[in-house]
């Protein structure tokens, strides 16, 4: 049993990239100096600007060499600003990998995520019926402001007295968020924002989403929390790997950046639970069947949200993405998708968190497989399980009969006991034996 998983969603589109013939004209080439075949390269040249757990993992990986400044690289854990400025002008050889899809924001900007989910739900209702479309009902009722203001007002007046939450579409760490119950609060906010922005920074009013606030969250020790689950997506949407995360607790805002300001925050212990501990806690309170249903519903969130952007994300074989899903559980054990992060924090907030993120990143690199050690048939790599491959993947070997879904059990183990070190030893030992036998 393991606390992670993986998924895979049908063929995507092909990204536009610089043709090879333009390599010496407008494009910067990478991965060219040591040949195209991955197995022929003696070392892997990596680059990153992130000075946190990621740098530690990259520097300690056998055979990986750090490249600085304008040096040629094979693997670049880039930030999104580099992607915007350079992707269209960079030629990448076959083996080269970078850490974002070109338009990852289709899933990670709050307004785009909701737009894509709403569109996908309508598509499902038209093609498969209301029952199937209802599987997309995992995000709170949401409106983009100001363009959907009139639709929001209509909904607001249907349910007077409930709480709504306003979130800027492109900010993180709880910045700019506020709650309201009166339309006047929005008007006052808009006036204040226009005034302060125009006078101080000359910045236009940014877009927000108004989202129905979940007023019955599940509490542990009287505190609100959310789950962070890491989702590794390989070549949209041929492969998608889901890695188990951890519970994060706080009274109101569940963001660690906010929690650190709390007077009872402990810098060594942090404010996080491993997801395994959270699952055990729920099972003791509600029984294993209720918990199985909850985690199956969480699986559904990953698959449906990725399917919702399948036709709009620009796929490229050079790209992968480590998404950070934030999920809230309510008192009825229903999971709600709050947001998806394109650049989830890889900075550790405690020793336990450092160990968790080290394992996460090591397994991410195993799956990205710059060393070309995997066969492509693996169902599990360390803390990752293959969850989707043109359809759900079964825990059992062979091709299951999906027509009736009889005894089919999806190959996911989110929040279960993880023996990843043993699994990795056995996996790579087996691969080494196979390689020797074939040679």
């Amino acid at each position: 049993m393991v606390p992670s998983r993986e998924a895979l969603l049908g063929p995507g589109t092909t990204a536009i990239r610089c043709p090879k013939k333009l390599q010496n004209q407008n494009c910067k080439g990478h991965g060219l100096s040591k040949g195209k075949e991955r197995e022929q390269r003696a070392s892997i040249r990596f680059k990153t600007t992130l000075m946190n757990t990621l740098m530690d993992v990259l520097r300690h990986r056998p055979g990986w060499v750090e490249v600085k400044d304008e040096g040629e690289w094979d693997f670049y854990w880039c930030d999104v600003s580099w992607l915007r400025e350079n992707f269209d002008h960079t030629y990448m050889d076959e083996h080269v990998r970078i850490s974002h899809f070109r338009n990852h924001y289709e899933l990670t900007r709050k307004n785009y995520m909701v737009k894509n989910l709403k569109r996908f739900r309508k598509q499902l209702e038209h093609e498969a019926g209301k029952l199937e479309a209802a599987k997309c009902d995992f995000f709170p009722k949401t409106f983009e402001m100001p363009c959907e203001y009139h639709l929001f007002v209509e909904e607001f007046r249907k349910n007077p007295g409930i709480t709504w939450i306003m979130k800027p579409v492109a900010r993180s760490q709880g910045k700019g968020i506020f709650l309201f119950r009166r339309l006047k609060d929005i008007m006052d906010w808009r006036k204040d924002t226009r005034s302060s922005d125009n006078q101080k920074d000359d910045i236009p009013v940014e877009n927000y989403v108004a989202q129905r606030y979940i007023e019955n969250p599940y509490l542990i020790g009287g505190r609100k929390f959310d789950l962070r689950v890491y989702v590794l997506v390989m070549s949209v949407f041929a492969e998608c790997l889901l890695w188990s995360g951890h519970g994060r607790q706080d009274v109101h805002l569940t963001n660690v950046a906010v929690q650190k300001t709390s007077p009872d925050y402990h810098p060594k212990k942090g404010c996080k639970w491993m997801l395994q501990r959270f699952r055990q806690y729920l099972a003791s309170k509600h029984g294993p069947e209720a918990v199985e249903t909850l985690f199956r519903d969480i699986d559904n969130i990953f698959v449906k949200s990725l399917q919702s952007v399948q036709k709009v994300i620009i796929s490229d074989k050079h790209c992968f993405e480590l998404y950070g899903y934030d999920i809230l559980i309510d008192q009825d054990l229903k999971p709600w998708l709050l947001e998806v992060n394109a650049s989830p924090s890889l900075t550790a907030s405690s020793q336990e968190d450092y160990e968790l993120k080290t394992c996460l990143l090591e397994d991410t690199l195993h799956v990205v497989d710059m060393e070309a050690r995997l066969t492509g048939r693996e169902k599990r790599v360390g803390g990752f399980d293959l969850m989707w491959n043109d359809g759900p993947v079964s825990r059992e070997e062979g091709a299951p009969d999906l027509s009736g879904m009889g005894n089919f059990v999806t190959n996911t183990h989110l929040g279960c006991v993880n023996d990843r070190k043993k699994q990795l030893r056995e996996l790579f030992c087996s691969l080494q034996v196979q390689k020797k036998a074939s040679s």
Side-chain angles (χ1 to χ4, degrees):
M1 301 288 284
V2 292
S4 33
R5 58 281 255 342
E6 150 173 310
L8 206 168
L9 304 177
T13 58
T14 301
I16 299 173
R17 60 189 179 94
C18 273
K20 193 168 185 176
K21 64 183 180 181
L22 297 180
Q23 176 188 326
N24 296 322
Q25 300 176 27
N26 302 325
C27 295
K28 175 73 173 177
H30 288 285
L32 302 172
S33 63
K34 294 196 177 184
K36 291 184 178 180
E37 296 301 322
R38 294 163 72 184
E39 56 268 25
Q40 293 178 356
R41 291 179 293 113
S43 62
I44 296 162
R45 301 160 297 176
F46 76 85
K47 183 177 180 179
T48 186
T49 56
L50 302 178
M51 300 301 294
N52 51 30
T53 312
L54 173 66
M55 182 63 83
D56 293 345
V57 170
L58 291 171
R59 284 176 174 171
H60 285 90
R61 195 163 181 84
W64 287 49
V65 180
E66 185 177 0
V67 171
K68 297 183 178 180
D69 302 323
E70 296 302 311
E72 297 299 324
W73 42 267
D74 306 302
F75 178 94
Y76 188 11
W77 198 295
C78 63
D79 55 38
V80 293
S81 60
W82 181 91
L83 196 78
R84 283 194 302 268
E85 297 168 8
N86 298 281
F87 188 89
D88 290 338
H89 312 291
T90 301
Y91 171 77
M92 289 173 279
D93 207 5
E94 188 76 14
H95 68 279
V96 170
R97 297 291 181 268
I98 61 174
S99 61
H100 291 292
F101 293 107
R102 183 182 173 199
N103 62 336
H104 58 84
Y105 49 78
E106 291 287 350
L107 186 60
T108 58
R109 280 181 68 103
K110 299 175 184 69
N111 53 336
Y112 291 171
M113 180 189 80
V114 171
K115 176 194 70 175
N116 286 316
L117 282 168
K118 285 180 177 179
R119 186 194 66 245
F120 185 59
R121 191 192 189 288
K122 287 182 180 178
Q123 177 189 331
L124 283 179
E125 186 168 347
H126 176 73
E127 296 176 355
K130 291 184 178 181
L131 203 60
E132 187 66 23
K135 294 180 181 179
C136 288
D137 293 341
F138 51 71
F139 60 99
K141 193 171 286 291
T142 306
F143 300 89
E144 184 175 356
M145 309 291 274
C147 65
E148 293 184 328
Y149 177 75
H150 294 296
L151 291 174
F152 162 72
V153 170
E154 185 178 334
E155 180 66 26
F156 183 91
R157 287 174 174 161
K158 287 180 185 176
N159 300 279
I162 69 169
T163 304
W164 292 78
I165 184 168
M166 285 280 279
K167 304 176 182 178
V169 299
R171 284 202 259 176
S172 59
Q173 297 186 337
K175 295 174 183 175
I177 291 177
F178 66 92
L179 303 179
F180 67 95
R181 289 191 177 187
R182 303 176 303 168
L183 289 177
K184 182 178 181 298
D185 295 334
I186 295 186
M187 301 308 297
D188 291 345
W189 157 78
R190 189 163 177 76
K191 288 177 184 177
D192 292 343
T193 309
R194 280 182 182 277
S195 174
S196 61
D197 283 344
N198 291 335
Q199 290 178 10
K200 294 180 181 178
D201 303 312
D202 197 28
I203 300 174
V205 176
E206 62 186 308
N207 285 357
Y208 270 62
V209 291
Q211 192 171 75
R212 185 163 179 169
Y213 189 67
I214 298 170
E215 298 190 75
N216 64 331
Y218 195 96
L219 303 179
I220 296 179
R223 295 196 171 196
K224 182 181 173 182
F225 65 95
D226 69 5
L227 306 180
R228 161 61 58 85
V229 183
Y230 296 97
V231 179
L232 175 60
V233 181
M234 304 291 293
S235 71
V236 188
F237 281 96
E239 248 176 310
C240 179
L241 301 135
L242 283 63
W243 198 85
S244 71
H246 51 265
R248 305 185 306 186
Q249 295 190 41
D250 188 52
V251 173
H252 196 59
L253 284 176
T254 53
N255 195 291
V256 174
V258 177
Q259 292 172 21
K260 287 181 177 179
T261 64
S262 174
D264 61 350
Y265 176 79
H266 196 296
K268 290 185 178 179
K269 294 181 179 179
C271 48
K272 302 177 181 180
W273 269 12
M274 292 290 288
L275 200 56
Q276 178 184 339
R277 183 180 174 191
F278 173 68
R279 183 166 184 151
Q280 291 170 344
Y281 175 85
L282 289 182
S284 69
K285 294 283 186 180
H286 306 281
E289 288 187 10
V291 174
E292 280 293 334
T293 300
L294 166 63
F295 279 81
R296 194 162 54 243
D297 290 343
I298 293 175
D299 291 344
N300 174 69
I301 289 177
F302 303 139
V303 173
K304 288 294 188 287
S305 62
L306 290 169
Q307 286 177 328
S308 76
V309 296
Q310 180 179 351
K311 293 182 179 179
V312 294
I313 288 277
I314 299 173
S315 179
D316 191 291
K317 62 186 176 183
H318 300 100
C319 304
F320 68 93
E321 192 89 44
L322 184 65
Y323 289 117
Y325 275 67
D326 287 345
I327 295 173
L328 183 73
I329 313 297
D330 69 18
Q331 291 174 0
D332 299 320
L333 294 187
K334 175 180 172 62
W336 297 89
L337 176 60
L338 300 182
E339 62 181 351
V340 183
N341 298 276
S343 300
S345 174
L346 299 176
T347 301
S349 58
S350 66
Q351 182 58 37
E352 184 181 51
D353 193 38
Y354 180 83
E355 292 169 3
L356 181 148
K357 286 177 177 172
T358 296
C359 294
L360 163 68
L361 291 168
E362 286 176 349
D363 289 348
T364 298
L365 298 182
H366 291 328
V367 174
V368 174
D369 193 29
M370 294 297 296
E371 297 90 346
R373 295 179 291 181
L374 304 181
T375 65
R377 298 186 296 272
E378 291 80 9
K379 283 190 176 182
R380 179 183 170 195
V381 179
F384 287 105
D385 299 326
L386 181 62
M387 178 182 177
W388 191 275
N389 188 352
D390 287 333
V393 176
S394 172
R395 290 187 192 177
E396 303 301 323
E397 295 300 325
D401 175 17
L402 299 182
S403 57
M405 297 297 285
N407 295 321
F408 182 87
V409 180
T410 306
N411 184 46
T412 62
H413 307 81
L414 188 65
C416 299
V417 176
N418 185 358
D419 55 346
R420 62 176 290 276
K421 289 185 178 179
K422 178 183 176 183
Q423 193 276 338
L424 286 171
R425 281 197 303 270
E426 292 176 351
L427 172 64
F428 289 117
C429 182
S430 172
L431 291 171
Q432 202 169 25
V433 170
Q434 291 177 38
K435 188 175 181 181
K436 286 182 180 178
S438 62
S439 60

